[in-house]
Amino acid sequence: MMFKALLTLSTVVPAVVASPAFHLHQKRSELETFIQNEKPVAHQGILNNIGADGKLVPGAYPGIVVASPTNGDPTNYFYTWTRDAALTLLDLIHDFLGGDSSLEPLIQQYITAQAKLQRVPNPSGTLSDGSGLGEPKFNVNITAFTGSWGRPQRDGPALRALALIDYGNYLISQGKQSKVQDNIWPIVQNDLSYVGQYWNQTGFDLWEEVDASSFFTTAAQYKSLIQGRVFATALGYQCEACALAPQILCHLQDYWNGTAVISNIPTNGRTGLDVNSVLATLYTFDSAAATCDDTTFQPCSARALSNHKLLVDSFRGIYGVNKGRTAGQAAAVGRYAEDVYFGGNPWYLATLAAAEQLYDALYQWDKQGRVSVTGVSLPFFHDLVANVTTGTYTKGSTKYSEITGAVRTYADGFVSIVQEYTPADGGLNEQFDRNTGAPVSVQHLTWSYAAFLTAVARRAGDVPPTWGVASPPPMPSQCARSSVPGTYVTPTPSPW
Ligand SMILES: *[C@@H]1O[C@H](CO)[C@@H](O)[C@H](O)[C@H]1NC(C)=O
Ligand SMILES: *[C@@H]1O[C@H](CO)[C@@H](O)[C@H](O)[C@H]1NC(C)=O
Ligand SMILES: *[C@@H]1O[C@H](CO)[C@@H](O)[C@H](O)[C@H]1NC(C)=O
Ligand SMILES: *[C@@H]1O[C@H](CO)[C@@H](O)[C@H](O)[C@H]1NC(C)=O
């Protein structure tokens, strides 16, 4: 209701004046209104899905993040996925570090719950050799889900380590090193051990469909070992697995074909274009990176921008909702063009990811004081500024403003599409119908809300801390299939 009223108000105003500049201004202010209204809805939407107090997830154990409260109709997401939970916590921890201290008990409950989950024997295996850590989802009462599933999935441990390290670094900065050693390090050590031991084996991708090598997984694994090494050192520990980071970075280069990221190798009969790749750039984003580094696929890198164009273009012709949205205009984005799940629709989190990569890139250009257009990224920029040519444009110049202004308008366009297909109460499902734009699949997807909050945080220049891309260990000249057998300990956190 509140949404409807505000939107009506702002659509009344523009009839008075009608210049193109005014329309742009009006669109922007409607978008601002949407964002300000949706932020608390998304934040509450996340909290509603976390046990024990989340009001849509009765029965969920304290700190357990439920993927969606939808329990059967049209399908059942009433489980906790290690990946979705970690990505959600990365967002909540960011909010906590930004000043929302009310989130701390929930973060601690999440960590305690992860310690319990790591110990649960499950169809992927057990903790003793690490194999059980690759289990993708559990019942919300911390028991194993024993039905058949696409398992293992090897991104979960890496993502969980990233979330725990962010909170652990905060505790270290508060002089609470021993709390980190007792309650956080054992969980992180297990997850890093898992990455070091299993990174070079195939597993199911983040969409749980393809048993292959997955770009998103490899990127998350690389980052976890880079951050893990620094974290271990700060605690006075060794991380043997972390020495493999350069090998994983070497493997990450395999996914690049010259113009795009091939998200799964082998491709399973698809083109390889998949929002998997754009999501990965949101996590390889380093807010302190002095370059638009191609090897780590930074959001502003020529590679990531070329890939962004090819991916977004792949959805223009196939969705009815994209009719009239031609190259250079934002479009609704799904997982991959060949998708048939629920009929193959655009996803809120995918469309938001397309925006977020560009907000990250804008942050990087601003920080570097220049934007470079190369042969590889020219097609991306050409769609937005028709007469752009390769070269470096420095901040303060007209062309820099023109190019970055066009990228910002383009990025905002993706959020406007989400606005257009968000119902009046602000609730975000998983998908919206490819032809009508009506919400489909499960309701209140936790990841949809987290994706909204991170995208609009980046839009406002609110970025995560650096993770050390500026000074990584050198990449080997030849990739190797090395792995390190892990050390696994039983995590038993003491009270916080
Ligand atoms: C945990 O949840 C599962 C799935 O809902 C249920 O089958 C099982 O009985 C529960 N176990 C316990 C110990 O409550
Ligand atoms: C294992 O590593 C080698 C060397 O980087 C690479 O060629 C191969 O694709 C990797 N396989 C998997 C499943 O990660
Ligand atoms: C890379 O892969 C994409 C998707 O399959 C394809 O459209 C593109 O032409 C490929 N680029 C090169 C240089 O082969
Ligand atoms: C494109 O052409 C216009 C009109 O000549 C000019 O003002 C603008 O600076 C050019 N932009 C770029 C990026 O070259």
Side-chain angles (χ1 to χ4, degrees):
M1 275 300 126
M2 172 180 77
F3 285 72
K4 273 254 161 72
L6 284 162
L7 282 179
T8 313
L9 198 68
S10 53
T11 41
V12 170
V13 184
V16 186
V17 191
S19 75
F22 188 85
H23 281 306
L24 185 64
H25 178 75
Q26 181 223 344
K27 229 177 159 189
R28 231 168 230 168
S29 87
E30 276 180 11
L31 184 62
E32 293 295 344
T33 304
F34 167 69
I35 290 172
Q36 292 319 318
N37 288 336
E38 184 66 16
K39 267 162 61 170
V41 175
H43 185 74
Q44 190 58 44
I46 290 175
L47 299 181
N48 287 347
N49 290 353
I50 304 181
D53 299 328
K55 68 172 191 267
L56 297 181
V57 293
Y61 191 88
I64 284 292
V65 181
V66 181
S68 153
T70 300
N71 186 356
D73 180 19
T75 184
N76 187 359
Y77 277 31
F78 202 82
Y79 296 101
T80 186
W81 270 262
T82 304
R83 167 184 43 258
D84 297 40
L87 296 178
T88 302
L89 262 290
L90 277 167
D91 182 46
L92 292 183
I93 292 166
H94 185 78
D95 288 351
F96 165 71
L97 297 176
D100 187 350
S101 55
S102 72
L103 293 169
E104 191 162 30
L106 201 57
I107 293 166
Q108 294 171 344
Q109 285 171 7
Y110 163 77
I111 295 172
T112 301
Q114 298 310 302
K116 291 183 189 287
L117 278 175
Q118 283 196 338
R119 305 199 298 254
V120 176
N122 58 64
S124 293
T126 63
L127 180 59
S128 60
D129 64 352
S131 55
L133 300 175
E135 179 68 4
K137 75 173 195 185
F138 293 84
N139 295 322
V140 304
N141 58 8
I142 315 209
T143 59
F145 166 75
T146 54
S148 68
W149 207 251
R151 57 168 72 90
Q153 293 175 22
R154 305 193 194 281
D155 56 341
L159 296 169
R160 176 167 53 203
L162 292 174
L164 267 61
I165 289 171
D166 276 0
Y167 180 61
N169 281 333
Y170 160 79
L171 291 180
I172 293 172
S173 77
Q174 300 297 300
K176 297 181 178 160
Q177 183 141 342
S178 68
K179 199 46 99 191
V180 181
Q181 288 167 330
D182 290 348
N183 287 8
I184 296 183
W185 172 252
I187 306 171
V188 171
Q189 181 190 22
N190 288 339
D191 285 337
L192 299 177
S193 290
Y194 181 85
V195 172
Q197 183 165 349
Y198 296 102
W199 72 271
N200 201 213
Q201 299 185 24
T202 63
F204 281 82
D205 68 320
L206 77 172
W207 309 134
E208 321 195 278
E209 296 172 338
V210 185
D211 184 11
S213 290
S214 166
F215 182 75
F216 178 84
T217 301
T218 306
Q221 290 173 334
Y222 172 65
K223 183 177 180 181
S224 73
L225 297 192
I226 294 289
Q227 272 202 295
R229 185 183 57 158
V230 178
F231 187 60
T233 305
L235 294 168
Y237 297 132
Q238 294 274 321
C239 171
E240 283 172 42
C242 295
L244 295 176
Q247 290 302 342
I248 300 182
L249 183 61
C250 199
H251 178 42
L252 194 67
Q253 313 311 308
D254 294 342
Y255 298 91
W256 175 246
N257 79 346
T259 50
V261 172
I262 302 303
S263 288
N264 296 300
I265 305 175
T267 59
N268 205 35
R270 304 177 188 165
T271 64
L273 299 173
D274 188 317
V275 78
N276 168 319
S277 57
V278 170
L279 288 164
T281 70
L282 310 185
Y283 300 101
T284 61
F285 170 47
D286 191 319
S287 57
T291 65
C292 292
D293 177 41
D294 265 333
T295 63
T296 55
F297 296 82
Q298 289 299 304
C300 65
S301 67
R303 283 180 173 184
L305 294 172
S306 175
N307 178 65
H308 188 284
K309 169 179 165 54
L310 266 67
L311 177 73
V312 173
D313 285 351
S314 74
F315 298 107
R316 293 186 190 283
I318 66 167
Y319 295 152
V321 290
N322 282 340
K323 194 158 181 278
R325 301 193 208 270
T326 54
Q329 287 178 278
V333 176
R335 301 190 300 178
Y336 51 91
E338 303 88 344
D339 196 1
V340 294
Y341 183 59
F342 275 93
N345 296 298
W347 284 39
Y348 293 99
L349 72 89
T351 306
L352 289 162
E356 187 172 331
Q357 182 193 324
L358 302 180
Y359 294 133
D360 290 348
L362 285 161
Y363 181 92
Q364 294 179 307
W365 292 322
D366 183 63
K367 186 133 189 161
Q368 291 162 30
R370 62 180 185 279
V371 52
S372 290
V373 177
T374 70
V376 172
S377 59
L378 184 62
F380 167 84
F381 287 106
H382 177 76
D383 284 347
L384 307 180
V385 180
N387 59 342
V388 72
T389 53
T390 57
T392 294
Y393 304 93
T394 47
K395 192 169 155 182
S397 69
T398 316
K399 288 183 179 178
Y400 175 91
S401 307
E402 187 186 357
I403 294 166
T404 54
V407 172
R408 192 172 170 87
T409 301
Y410 188 44
D412 280 352
F414 292 96
V415 185
S416 292
I417 288 171
V418 166
Q419 173 185 5
E420 188 172 343
Y421 301 118
T422 297
D425 67 1
L428 294 180
N429 281 36
E430 180 181 66
Q431 313 175 21
F432 49 100
D433 186 90
R434 62 195 289 154
N435 294 314
T436 66
V440 284
S441 183
V442 299
Q443 293 188 302
H444 301 297
L445 186 79
T446 311
W447 192 353
S448 293
Y449 291 127
F452 174 82
L453 291 173
T454 50
V456 301
R458 303 302 174 266
R459 181 176 187 270
D462 179 5
V463 299
T466 177
W467 57 277
V469 157
S471 53
M475 184 154 63
S477 52
Q478 275 236 291
C479 297
R481 296 173 173 276
S482 47
S483 84
V484 174
T487 306
Y488 302 95
V489 297
T490 302
T492 48
S494 52
W496 294 91

